[in-house]
Amino acid sequence: MKTFARLMSLVLALLFVACLAVSCATPGDDSSGTTTPTASATTPADGDTSLDSQTENQYDVKNNLPSDLQFPGQTVRILSRDSDGVRDEIAVNDYIGEPVNDAIYERNAAVEAQLGIKISNTKLTGGNYVVTEKIRNLVMAQTDEYDLLANSCYSTIMYTSEGLFQDLSHIEYLDLDRIYWSQGFNEVASFGNRQYFCAGSIGLTLYRYMFVNMFSKTMLKEFGVDDLYTVVNDGKWTLDYQAALASQMYYDVNGSGTQDADDKYGFVSGPMAYVDPYWSSCKLPILTKTTDNRYEYAVNVERTALAMDKVLNLYYTCGGSYIYKSVSDAQDQENIASHFANGRAAMCTLRLLSVESQTLRNMKDEYGIVPIPKLDEAQDGYQTFVHDQFTALAVPATVPESRLDLVGAYMECTACESHRRVIPAYYEVALKGKYVSDPQSGQMLDKIYENIYIDAGVLYTKVLNSVHQQLRTIVKSQTNGTVTVFKSLNRAIPVLLDKMMAGLDKLDK
C-alpha cells in the first residue's frame, strides 16, 4: 500500500508541476516587496492578475541559508494544535495520495535532509488556549521542553507582555523580509524594533481562515443574475447591492407564512464570527501604526455606524436573509454551509475552509466565490478579514541561546519549502483545481488573498476590552447602538492600549 501511495504521489507531483503556471496571490520575484500599511497579508502581484500574466517560477524561491548548514542529531520540538483546519499544518504521518498532505510530508522530509535534523510535533487537543496555557506553565517553571509553538494568533499574542516569547528579530538565519513570510503580518505584529510572532507560507490558515461570500449560480440565474464576478470587478459589490439581491430571493417553502430555516433565502449568515469580516471589508481600522512603529487607536465611530446600518439592513430588514442563532464556531459554520449546500440560500458568508468539507463537496449546484462586499462604491477596493485563529509562530523564552540557530534555520527552511511545495499544492491544485468550479472564482481568490487586512486591534482584542467583538454585540441586538457602544470604549481603550504598550516596552529593557 505504501508503494502505491508513493506512486500516486509521483503522479500528483507531475500534476503539481503542470499547475505551476497558474496564477497565485504572491508575486513572482524573490524580494520582500512593499505592502500597504498594517494591511495586506502578502505582497500583491503588480497590476494584472489574470492567469496568463503570471510566470511559472513564482513559487521557485530559495532561502539564504548556507548550503553546508547542518545540525546533525538535533531535533526541533514543536507544540501545535490538534483541531480541524490546523492539524496538518506542521506535520503529517505519511503519503496518502492527497496533494496537500503529501506536499507537507515532502516539505518536512526536505527540511530534515537539508539541515540534518528531525522534526517532532506534539499536538494538543482542547480549547483555544490549550497551547498557550501549556507554554505559560512551562515558561513560569523555566522548563525547556519546546523550541517553537504554532498556535491561534489571538489566543497567544495577548500574553506577549508577560515575557513568554523571544524577539524573533535577533534569531540567526531567520529572515522575515523574505517572500514566504507575511509582510502584512510583520507590519502589524512588530512593535518598535521588536517582533515576537510571525506568519506566512508555513501555515495554511492564512488561506483557510479567510472570510468569503459564496453564491449559488443556480439560484442567482433563477433571478436573472448571470455574472456576479463583473459586479465585483466593476467595484459595485457593496452591502447595499447584496441586500437588494437578497431581498428578491425569499421563498416560503413550507407555506407556514413565517420565515424559518426550511425556507429559501437570498442570504444566510450568523451573528458572531461571521460579523467580524466587516471590520476589514468596510475599512474600519481599530489600531494603526505611528511613525515610530507603535500602536494608536483609530476607530472612526461615524463610519462604523454607517457600516452597521448597512449590515443590519442586510441581516434583518431587507426581508431576504436568514440569520442563525450562534451555537459555536463549528456548529455555526455547519448550519450556514448546510443551508447553502442544500439549495436554500443564494449567498452566504463562510470561511474558505468550508470548501474542503463534505457538505460543500457534495453540493449539487455549482457555486462561486467573491469577496465580502465593501461599504459603498466610493470605497477604494475590497479588503479581506482572516479569522483571528490563524496560525502564528513564536519561540518560547525558555529556549536556550545555544538552540536558537537551529530554530531559526528550521523556521526559515520550512517557510521556504512551504512556499515551494505546500502553497501551490493547496492553492493551485486543491483550491483552484478541485474545490472551485470555474476560473473566475480562481481569479476572485487571488483578489481576496491579495487584499487581506490584518488589524492589531483584532489580534490584541482580549487586552482591549474585546473591542473587535463589539460589532457582534451591535448585530445581535438588531439595533444600531454603535455610538453608545463606542462612547465608553473610546475612553477605555486608549488607556488599555497605553498599558499594553508599556508592558511591551519593558521587554526591551
Side-chain angles (χ1 to χ4, degrees), residues 121 144 195 241 356:
N121 179 40
D144 171 31
Q195 184 172 335
Y241 191 103
E356 302 178 46

Side-chain angles (χ1 to χ4, degrees), residues 210-283:
M210 296 187 302
F211 281 92
V212 299
N213 271 172
M214 298 183 181
F215 66 92
S216 164
K217 295 182 180 180
T218 301
M219 287 190 68
L220 286 186
K221 284 182 180 179
E222 290 175 358
F223 289 88
V225 181
D226 293 321
D227 187 4
L228 200 55
Y229 302 121
T230 297
V231 176
V232 174
N233 288 329
D234 288 346
K236 297 179 179 179
W237 181 235
T238 66
L239 284 166
D240 287 344
Y241 191 103
Q242 186 174 38
L245 273 185
S247 67
Q248 307 171 44
M249 298 181 182
Y250 172 70
Y251 179 68
D252 187 359
V253 173
N254 54 22
S256 66
T258 58
Q259 293 186 341
D260 54 47
D262 294 328
D263 294 339
K264 286 188 175 183
Y265 294 89
F267 176 71
V268 173
S269 190
M272 292 294 283
Y274 298 92
V275 176
D276 296 349
Y278 300 115
W279 281 112
S280 292
S281 70
C282 295
K283 293 195 173 183

Side-chain angles (χ1 to χ4, degrees), residues 149-453:
L149 66 91
N151 194 34
S152 160
C153 188
Y154 94 93
S155 62
T156 315
I157 199 170
M158 60 186 286
Y159 295 110
T160 303
S161 61
E162 293 185 7
L164 301 181
F165 315 113
Q166 308 228 14
D167 179 7
L168 301 180
S169 64
H170 297 311
I171 294 182
E172 188 72 18
Y173 303 123
L174 182 59
D175 185 356
L176 294 179
D177 290 334
R178 304 284 285 177
I179 189 176
Y180 35 77
W181 296 110
S182 166
Q183 301 310 308
F185 182 82
N186 289 345
E187 172 68 19
V188 171
S190 63
F191 180 79
N193 59 359
R194 288 155 282 134
Q195 184 172 335
Y196 299 93
F197 289 83
C198 60
S201 297
I202 202 167
L204 289 174
T205 43
L206 276 182
Y207 293 92
R208 284 172 166 165
Y209 283 6
M210 296 187 302
F211 281 92
V212 299
N213 271 172
M214 298 183 181
F215 66 92
S216 164
K217 295 182 180 180
T218 301
M219 287 190 68
L220 286 186
K221 284 182 180 179
E222 290 175 358
F223 289 88
V225 181
D226 293 321
D227 187 4
L228 200 55
Y229 302 121
T230 297
V231 176
V232 174
N233 288 329
D234 288 346
K236 297 179 179 179
W237 181 235
T238 66
L239 284 166
D240 287 344
Y241 191 103
Q242 186 174 38
L245 273 185
S247 67
Q248 307 171 44
M249 298 181 182
Y250 172 70
Y251 179 68
D252 187 359
V253 173
N254 54 22
S256 66
T258 58
Q259 293 186 341
D260 54 47
D262 294 328
D263 294 339
K264 286 188 175 183
Y265 294 89
F267 176 71
V268 173
S269 190
M272 292 294 283
Y274 298 92
V275 176
D276 296 349
Y278 300 115
W279 281 112
S280 292
S281 70
C282 295
K283 293 195 173 183
L284 308 172
I286 301 172
L287 296 184
T288 54
K289 283 293 189 71
T290 61
T291 55
D292 56 351
N293 203 30
R294 297 172 69 82
Y295 300 117
E296 63 181 356
Y297 183 57
V299 169
N300 182 323
V301 176
E302 183 178 357
R303 184 175 176 87
T304 305
L306 176 60
M308 287 297 94
D309 273 341
K310 296 178 183 295
V311 172
L312 290 168
N313 176 51
L314 171 64
Y315 268 50
Y316 302 115
T317 309
C318 76
S321 299
Y322 186 81
I323 307 303
Y324 277 91
K325 291 183 178 180
S326 181
V327 179
S328 65
D329 281 349
Q331 188 60 55
D332 294 353
Q333 177 175 288
E334 179 57 29
N335 287 341
I336 296 167
S338 294
H339 201 125
F340 178 68
N342 290 334
R344 291 184 287 114
M347 299 172 287
C348 69
T349 298
L350 286 168
R351 294 182 301 177
L352 188 59
L353 175 67
S354 294
V355 303
E356 302 178 46
S357 69
Q358 288 298 319
T359 302
L360 261 64
R361 291 173 69 177
N362 293 333
M363 183 173 173
K364 294 180 180 179
D365 294 338
E366 286 190 358
Y367 64 83
I369 297 175
V370 293
I372 304 294
K374 57 184 182 176
L375 179 67
D376 52 34
E377 290 188 33
Q379 179 176 306
D380 180 20
Y382 302 94
Q383 285 191 165
T384 303
F385 186 90
V386 182
H387 194 197
D388 53 20
Q389 291 191 34
F390 70 86
T391 298
L393 306 178
V395 178
T398 47
V399 177
E401 187 173 352
S402 60
R403 292 184 62 83
L404 291 182
D405 286 2
L406 164 65
V407 176
Y410 162 79
M411 293 172 70
E412 189 71 8
C413 191
T414 302
C416 180
E417 289 301 320
S418 288
H419 189 82
R420 289 168 51 85
R421 302 168 186 265
V422 180
I423 297 305
Y426 179 75
Y427 194 65
E428 308 294 353
V429 178
L431 271 183
K432 292 183 178 179
K434 181 178 180 181
Y435 296 133
V436 300
S437 61
D438 55 30
Q440 293 95 327
S441 280
Q443 292 169 17
M444 285 294 119
L445 287 175
D446 291 342
K447 184 185 293 289
I448 291 165
Y449 182 68
E450 288 167 8
N451 291 289
I452 285 176
Y453 182 91

Side-chain angles (χ1 to χ4, degrees), residues 304-310 312 474 477-484:
T304 305
L306 176 60
M308 287 297 94
D309 273 341
K310 296 178 183 295
L312 290 168
I474 294 166
S477 73
Q478 302 187 29
T479 302
N480 193 349
T482 302
V483 174
T484 301

